[in-house]
Amino acid sequence: MDDAPATPVGVAIIGAGLMGGQHAASAAASPDVQLLGVTAADAGQAEQLAGRHGCRVYADVDAVFADDAVEAVIVATPTHTHHDIALQVLAAGRHAFVEKPVTRTLEDALALREAARAADRVLATGHVIRYFPEYRQIAESIARGDIGTPAVATFGRRCQQPDWAPDHWHTDMARSGGVAVDMLIHDVDLVRWYFGEPTHVYARVVGSDRHDGLDYALATLTVPDGPICHLHGSWSEPEGFSQSAEVCGSAGMITYDSRGRDELSFAAHATNADVTALPAPAAGPNDPFQRQLRDFARAIRTGSSVPSDIDWAIGSLRIALAMLESSDRRDVVEVTA
Amino acid sequence: MKVGILGTRHVHADGLAAYVLELGHELVGAVEQDAAARDAWTRTPLLELDAVLDAADAVIVAGTNRERVDATIAATRAGLPTLAEKPVAADADELERLVAAVDPSLVMVALPLRFGAALTRARSIITSGALGRPLAARGTNHGQFPGGWFGRLADSGGGALQDHVVHLSDVLCWLLDDRAARVYARSAHVLHPDNDVEDCGIVTIDFESGCFASIDSSWSRPAAFPTWGDVWLEIVGTGGRLRIDPMATRLELYGDAAGKLTHVPYSDDDMTRNMVAAFLEFADQRRDGGPSTAPVSLAEAVHASDTVLAAYASVASGRPEPVTVRQSDS
């Protein structure tokens, strides 16, 4: 990649789970940042991750803040902890990158925005979907007029029951928001990116706290002058992760499904192998997480804005939470900015 | 068995008639008023209604949606077992007229999905308990615009919602032994501006059990699509995830003659042929005073139409709307 900042930004990662692991891999490979170390509630997980990337382990967040080389912190902890940890990061004078969903509640997200303004630090969020080349190509195809006027658009993602976190926070709606908030927020991003701000949300959600984490969510978003937008999210897919999109218009249709679209695939003979159905960490020139880090590092060095800033995150969180509200009330929810 | 055809303008009319012959039965003739459709129909002689009803042992009702109720009433008043195309009526008034006038014990409705091997196996998986408690489902029944009268409100009573929702809403009720209770729907009219009906629609159905599902019934497949459309359904339960793609058994043909990719189905299991065979067997049994519940009953098809009517009500109100509960449902 071109145009790396003269001096890489020193970063630490809080959290060593699925996303902490992805950020560590991307940060280690990125010319824009220098991965200094990781810390996690589970010290063993942190050590394993640090060992893989040759960085240090911090005993806790205070140890992170005590390291003067740490300019920025990536917060990749369970959703409900983002708010408190990000506040500490900002209070310690560090720039913050917070995984999506930026917080579990709208109030927490608004508080983070105020804290970042007061601290005059960069606050970026992990709304990473805009950095995926497949979704950028869909945006360009729509903009080129390949499919004419969009009439109906469907976006979805699915994976197995999320039981990989040791404390099973995914299966607690109060902590994760379930598949609607945790995963479909990416698809909310797509609707907003491609077509504009939804005004009405109707959704039906199983909820991850009723059947051992199994969850399923269907949502229909109304976007003024846009197509009918339908989102589908599943935490009930035994075959593991996949994502898909389809936009139909007056002159054609463009579709994408990650299933069967692996450039490379290796599988051990399945005599005794665990099914590891989560996506392998992205790598190489298509790694969207490295592209995301680049914008974060640039913002820190040059004062440029990040596209997935806290305002963007708040906008998508608002829609995702409206899905839960709609499902609870069994009615359409009007969304106002 | 001698079979008459009442109305030929449904896209399935000729195919259904051809299966009657293939299955070793006779066609006595067809009734058609529309001049262009009369010219296009070559399968049988064209006769007057009374002549067909006198000569036939059973009839297939396959005209436009608007013609369907009159034809179904005429056939059943003549005491003939009747296979009626779907939807069974063009609108709410027609549906009421049908329910009031027709002998339901003579009517089977042409919802072919139930007769495919994949659906039959899916039902046995569900019945076995392997799916556990059904939680949610999602289906697509996309199509290309079927053309002609399907795009005219006066003939069809509605567009993409009217044409396709009944298939998967019925399949879900049948597979899950459930009934639709509430519907939210959005529709759009963007793809075929010369029509006066919606060409895109997404419905979300709440079932009585608490399970919910969405169905995308849009005529959103472009002319360049390899085939007429798709049928696809996934159901998630506490025991597993079931996925049904009855059109998956196909080859992909890259033919320069077509100028695009086309699909070549290879399955010998033909759901429509199975459905026609089931109807002819039902008709044969009815003639001998046999069982009076068709493999797809009128009550089930009326419920599917009530579900679609709730979808149209939701489009109009912008809110979820209840599905009509009928006396015959209990």
Side-chain angles (χ1 to χ4, degrees), chain B:
Chain B
M1 191 125 37
K2 293 175 177 157
V3 178
I5 309 292
L6 302 191
T8 66
R9 294 169 71 191
H10 196 283
V11 288
H12 299 152
D14 189 62
L16 295 172
Y19 282 124
V20 171
L21 297 177
E22 192 185 308
L23 290 160
H25 299 268
E26 288 175 57
L27 294 170
V28 296
V31 178
E32 180 56 65
Q33 311 299 332
D34 181 78
R38 288 177 67 91
D39 288 344
W41 183 257
T42 57
R43 181 68 64 181
T44 70
L46 289 162
L47 305 172
E48 292 301 309
L49 175 63
D50 288 345
V52 169
L53 295 180
D54 284 345
D57 302 314
V59 300
I60 294 174
V61 172
T64 66
N65 294 347
R66 186 65 62 185
E67 296 168 327
R68 194 150 305 130
V69 167
D70 280 339
T72 306
I73 290 173
T76 55
R77 285 205 172 139
L80 296 175
T82 302
L83 178 66
E85 256 303 335
K86 45 58 46 179
V88 289
D91 58 32
D93 291 344
E94 290 281 283
L95 192 63
E96 294 304 332
R97 206 157 64 78
L98 178 76
V99 169
V102 89
D103 174 1
S105 76
L106 287 170
V107 180
M108 170 170 161
V109 180
L111 291 166
L113 282 173
R114 294 197 198 182
F115 298 90
L119 268 291
T120 312
R121 280 161 55 205
R123 193 156 193 254
S124 67
I125 288 170
I126 293 168
T127 312
S128 77
L131 183 69
R133 182 180 150 202
L135 299 175
R138 183 172 75 91
T140 66
N141 191 184
H142 300 116
Q144 294 170 327
F145 169 52
W149 62 264
F150 284 87
R152 290 192 295 273
L153 187 63
D155 290 324
S156 63
L161 292 171
Q162 170 84 307
D163 188 34
H164 272 182
V165 167
V166 292
H167 285 296
L168 285 179
S169 71
D170 173 71
V171 156
L172 283 164
C173 289
W174 177 67
L175 283 177
L176 304 178
D177 194 19
D178 212 337
R179 299 180 62 78
R182 271 156 58 93
V183 180
Y184 175 78
R186 294 271 298 131
S187 71
H189 181 194
V190 174
L191 304 178
H192 301 280
D194 293 343
N195 294 335
D196 55 13
V197 294
E198 80 284 356
D199 40 47
C200 290
I202 292 187
V203 301
T204 305
I205 301 172
D206 275 304
F207 293 90
E208 287 176 354
S209 68
C211 183
F212 58 82
S214 73
I215 299 170
D216 182 346
S217 68
S218 303
W219 289 333
S220 55
R221 302 302 93 166
F225 198 69
T227 186
W228 62 266
D230 66 38
V231 183
W232 182 96
L233 179 65
E234 82 172 2
I235 306 173
V236 164
T238 51
R241 185 270 292 137
L242 186 65
R243 196 172 284 153
I244 303 162
D245 183 1
M247 292 172 64
T249 48
R250 67 185 185 225
L251 310 178
E252 302 193 328
L253 170 65
Y254 298 84
D256 290 339
K260 64 174 188 179
L261 169 68
T262 50
H263 288 168
V264 181
Y266 60 75
S267 174
D268 289 330
D269 174 66
D270 183 326
M271 64 175 85
T272 307
R273 188 180 193 276
N274 297 346
M275 177 184 76
V276 173
F279 168 66
L280 293 169
E281 190 183 337
F282 162 72
D284 194 37
Q285 289 169 350
R286 282 300 289 147
R287 222 169 28 165
D288 300 334
S292 59
T293 302
V296 181
S297 73
L298 182 65
E300 292 170 303
V302 167
H303 181 61
S305 280
D306 280 330
T307 306
V308 174
L309 290 170
Y312 282 115
S314 172
V315 167
S317 73
R319 306 276 298 275
E321 296 289 345
V323 178
T324 300
V325 178
R326 292 177 184 270
Q327 293 275 298
S328 60
D329 292 347
S330 49

Side-chain angles (χ1 to χ4, degrees), chain A residues 110-237:
Chain A
L110 296 171
L112 273 193
R113 178 166 67 184
E114 286 314 305
R117 277 180 189 159
D120 195 23
R121 299 287 88 180
V122 174
L123 172 57
T125 69
H127 286 257
V128 72
I129 210 76
R130 70 175 80 245
Y131 297 97
F132 279 67
E134 53 270 52
Y135 289 111
R136 196 183 62 244
Q137 287 298 337
I138 293 172
E140 289 175 6
S141 177
I142 295 169
R144 266 199 307 272
D146 292 348
I147 62 161
T149 305
V152 55
T154 307
F155 304 103
R157 56 199 64 241
R158 55 206 76 80
C159 69
Q160 69 276 43
Q161 267 164 294
D163 58 356
W164 49 79
D167 64 345
H168 304 290
W169 62 275
H170 293 93
T171 63
D172 180 359
M173 288 295 282
R175 285 187 279 174
S176 72
V179 71
V181 175
D182 193 73
M183 274 175 77
L184 283 186
I185 203 159
H186 290 303
D187 301 285
V188 171
D189 281 357
L190 293 174
V191 170
R192 298 176 64 217
W193 175 15
Y194 295 167
F195 307 120
E197 296 296 336
T199 55
H200 295 80
V201 175
Y202 182 78
R204 294 294 289 114
V205 174
V206 170
S208 62
D209 49 0
R210 295 173 55 210
H211 304 284
D212 299 327
L214 291 175
D215 198 2
Y216 204 87
L218 299 168
T220 303
L221 309 187
T222 301
V223 183
D225 301 320
I228 307 169
C229 294
H230 192 55
L231 310 186
H232 52 92
S234 174
W235 274 352
S236 304
E237 177 46 58

